[in-house]
Amino acid sequence: MREGYEGTGPGAITPDGCAVELYSRLPVGDEPDVIAAAVPAGARILELGSGVGRVTHALLERGFTVTAVDESAPMLERVRGARTICGPIEELELGETFDVVLLASFLVHTGDTEVRRGMLRTCARHVAQGGCVLIQREGEDYHENVPRERKDPSGFTVRIASSEPAVDGVNAVRAEYEFPDAVWTQTFRARPLTKEQFEDALLEAGLKVDRYLTEDRIWVRAVATV
Ligand SMILES: C[S@@+](CC[C@H](N)C(=O)[O-])C[C@H]1O[C@@H](n2cnc3c(N)ncnc32)[C@H](O)[C@@H]1O
């Protein structure tokens, strides 16, 4: 487990505190719609931090080709129909490029600045000329509007229970997922980034915002600067 990260609940837990069984249960949201609206039909997608394939499977159903990357083998074992690669995103060197590189799940807010730099460089290194990088950022009140909870119609409650300053501009966030038969928690480190800080981090990696895809500016389409 990474320092500052923790997960509790049944089944295998990844180094960043995610539970494999939990992610197998979570339904997909509007992610595939946002992605499909921003990229060409049938695009080749490199999905970074795919987990069990919650979003991967929906993208495959829509006719995209997906290469799924995750550092957790137990997560990747549940991915069906996609090529899988197990390893840290920040060290990925496939020697090939993709129409679309996807960095979702707020991974760009990872607490460790060097890891974030590595992840964004991986995005830049693997995007084809004329292709794009899709990034999912935290909403602007992500750390202020706490505690907050949402009851999902499928029968579970997800709660961001707290977000407290931990070290050096990084918050310790605690998420809770309550199902009728099981509870999972995840504690993780997240570095809030203003729009300007986010855009500077992209530029440093050779990427720039092409456009914000959603009104809340959570989803971003980025392209190479050269
Ligand atoms: C919150 S889960 C989200 C999974 C998936 N994107 C989804 O939405 O269902 C984050 C995933 O990213 C993976 N991950 C986090 N940091 C990583 C890193 N540095 N390199 C590779 N995988 C990473 C974890 O193992 C986990 O499966």
Side-chain angles (χ1 to χ4, degrees):
M1 196 71 59
R2 287 208 193 95
E3 197 185 334
Y5 291 74
E6 199 198 340
T8 66
I13 307 280
T14 63
D16 69 341
C18 293
V20 174
E21 186 59 38
L22 167 65
Y23 274 86
S24 302
R25 290 189 186 196
L26 291 179
V28 73
D30 66 354
E31 301 94 331
D33 295 332
V34 175
I35 296 162
V39 307
R44 292 178 65 240
I45 300 178
L46 176 66
E47 185 188 3
L48 303 173
S50 65
V52 294
R54 194 178 63 89
V55 175
T56 323
H57 296 142
L59 293 173
L60 292 170
E61 276 168 24
R62 286 167 189 248
F64 297 107
T65 302
V66 184
T67 296
V69 177
D70 205 287
E71 66 185 351
S72 161
M75 283 283 195
L76 287 179
E77 274 164 23
R78 301 198 180 197
V79 174
R80 299 281 171 263
R83 169 188 176 202
T84 58
I85 294 167
C86 191
I89 294 165
E90 58 276 21
E91 291 172 19
L92 196 70
E93 286 267 12
L94 294 179
E96 60 184 297
T97 57
F98 296 79
D99 305 318
V100 180
V101 181
L102 178 60
L103 184 69
S105 303
F106 317 124
L107 289 177
V108 73
H109 293 275
T110 189
D112 185 325
T113 307
E114 278 311 308
V115 172
R116 183 193 69 218
R117 284 196 179 111
M119 285 179 169
L120 288 173
R121 282 195 213 110
T122 291
C123 294
R125 197 161 54 236
H126 290 89
V127 69
Q129 220 179 354
C132 66
V133 178
L134 301 186
I135 301 174
Q136 186 184 25
R137 306 167 62 218
E138 293 172 345
E140 268 147 34
D141 64 349
Y142 187 94
H143 295 274
E144 280 77 48
N145 177 20
V146 281
R148 63 178 179 274
E149 72 173 34
R150 179 177 67 81
K151 288 188 197 310
D152 191 88
S154 69
F156 68 92
T157 299
V158 54
R159 183 177 305 114
I160 299 296
S162 59
S163 173
E164 305 289 344
V167 284
D168 173 33
V170 175
N171 289 353
V173 181
R174 180 181 162 91
E176 300 168 352
Y177 299 83
E178 285 178 11
F179 286 71
D181 60 337
V183 173
W184 284 274
T185 72
Q186 183 190 10
T187 303
F188 57 96
R189 294 279 166 98
R191 182 180 295 276
L193 295 171
T194 63
K195 180 169 167 286
E196 290 70 29
Q197 288 168 332
F198 168 72
E199 292 181 2
D200 285 348
L202 290 192
L203 282 177
E204 198 187 63
L207 296 168
K208 64 179 180 195
V209 172
D210 170 48
R211 61 193 158 96
Y212 286 89
L213 297 172
T214 49
E215 239 172 63
D216 54 17
R217 295 199 286 251
I218 286 178
W219 281 94
V220 186
R221 185 179 194 278
V223 294
T225 46
V226 285

